[in-house]
Amino acid sequence: MSLTDIRLETGVAVPGTMMDVQLTIGWIFEHVLRNHGRREVVARLDDGSLHRYTYADFGRRVAQLAHALVELGIKPGDRVASFGWNTHRHLELYYAVPMIGAILHATNIRLFPEQVCWVLRHAEDRFVFADASLAPAVTRAMATTPEYRIPLVVMGAAPADLPGELYDYESLLARQPESFPWPDLDERTAAMLCYTSATTGDPKGVLYTHRSQVLHAMCAGLAASLNITQRDTVMPVVPMFHVNAWGVPYLCPMVGAKLVLPGAKLDPASVIDLVQQEQVTMSLGVPTVWLPVRDELEKRDLRLDSLKTLVIGGSAVPPSLFDDLKKRGITTVHAWGMTEMSPIGTVSRPIAEIEHGPPEQLRTELLKQGRFVPLVAWKLTGEEGNEVPRDGKTPGALWVRGPSVTASYYRIGNDLPAFEEGWFHTGDVCTMDEWGYLQIVDRSKDLVKSGGEWISSVDLENLLMGHPAVREACVIGLPHERWVERPVAVVVLREGQQADEPGIQAWLGERVVKWMIPDRVIFIDVIPRTGVGKFLKRELRERFHSLLTG
Ligand code: AMP
């Protein structure tokens, strides 16, 4: 009899004696109030001033917000959208909305207006809570669909002339009771809704549960993962609309770390100022945020004494960034994850076996995407579905499973090739080495990730192939100093036709937003192909690897 048989036959053989409590966000909330009530949450407001309060104050406001939500008619299961920067009010929504059994949909403010409107409608959000500075943008987004409008709760001083049904966040909270009779929730209740960044086709929604958020925060916070403690002051530059700021809004209160929320000002000078002012010890964000910060530090020959760790993920860490930050006393911790995984999957930290070995070997390992956090199972499969060797060389398709990995997409289900026999197909092609460090070598998704935002190469190719002079077009992402990756188009012209680079770029400029236009258009005779006739993008990426970096 195998272990599997035993489990199937017996179910719960002997129930344990432990309390059968539900893993809900309420546990984190209660814990921070009772144990870390004096730690601070600092937020930069739109006017640049700092708002400062303690977790105890935060707790009172979360209760007031919960009363306000109930007064607005929000019921368990209802979706409530946020459209905001990283602020204390956004943090309050992260707790009050799910703790009354509703679902917070943190909407990506960088999507096109049509896409914002699409996700609001798809989620069937009842209200949008928008920062005052972003309220006009969300109003414009809603206006892209005739007859569509949901009420807006404005956080901060509302601009004049906003149309539609409006509420003021602070007025809703004022005079509400400072405690709330929180309902007991099942841990499988949906808490948060995030849409994957728009790729080809429509964005896909992932519905996190209370349980998945709690388990994700615990695993992501461990010393071998992000290693956040009460003594830390953490500044998430990663937006709260990008996969829940990588779990930080739950992780920091869970351990009582001070939180610094940078608001809308994310330019290098403002980021550096806030680190110095608040003595930030750890910050998190995509490489695009840190490259200009690095340049600014070098220009001013500045060391940020408090800042020990930068967690960088979302795109691969450029080795030069890793080295330059190290010279200034900052350790880069590389992390990999996905919206579908809550998001953290791997974190690059030294392990005992290599920590004191040759420094070059350690550097090579730490530049990889990292080692898996607990509760994320993984496998790398080859063409026939077999597991590939763990040699750091043989690439395989990465599959994951675990309690913080989604089992389906919201309102779509799991009848997709990405979901197979309890596993989720990440779309990343990776190697795994003998020390357990994962490295992404390719993406099977045909996407370019420019400054943390996705650009669909397939969409660009389809457009380009609609150009009268173009026969074939292949768009690849190439390394770029500032944006990490930028699109480059490789084009084969039709016989007898002529076109030049600026002409093609200008033609595309009439059809896509400016930041999606490929940086370069290269003309070649034949695009290399795979055995099944697909463009061999990897070969093109290798051939033109240094085109944008010189
Ligand atoms: P998103 O769901 O928008 O966060 O995108 C997830 C995808 O971003 C992953 O499947 C990877 O392709 C890519 N990604 C995330 N983190 C990294 C990283 N550290 N290095 C390279 N690619 C990454």
Side-chain angles (χ1 to χ4, degrees), residues 490 524 526-530 534-537 539-540 543:
V490 181
I524 61 173
V526 191
I527 294 181
R529 290 175 186 276
T530 65
K534 287 194 196 163
F535 293 150
L536 230 141
K537 292 198 171 184
E539 194 177 310
L540 286 176
R543 197 189 307 174

Side-chain angles (χ1 to χ4, degrees), residues 197 242-243 313-316 334-340 369 426 428 440 443 445 449 454:
S197 324
H242 184 203
V243 217
S315 293
H334 194 181
W336 163 87
M338 304 181 71
T339 306
E340 288 87 339
Q369 272 70 19
T426 64
D428 289 323
I440 298 188
R443 261 201 307 263
K445 297 171 262 187
K449 203 163 191 183
W454 291 110

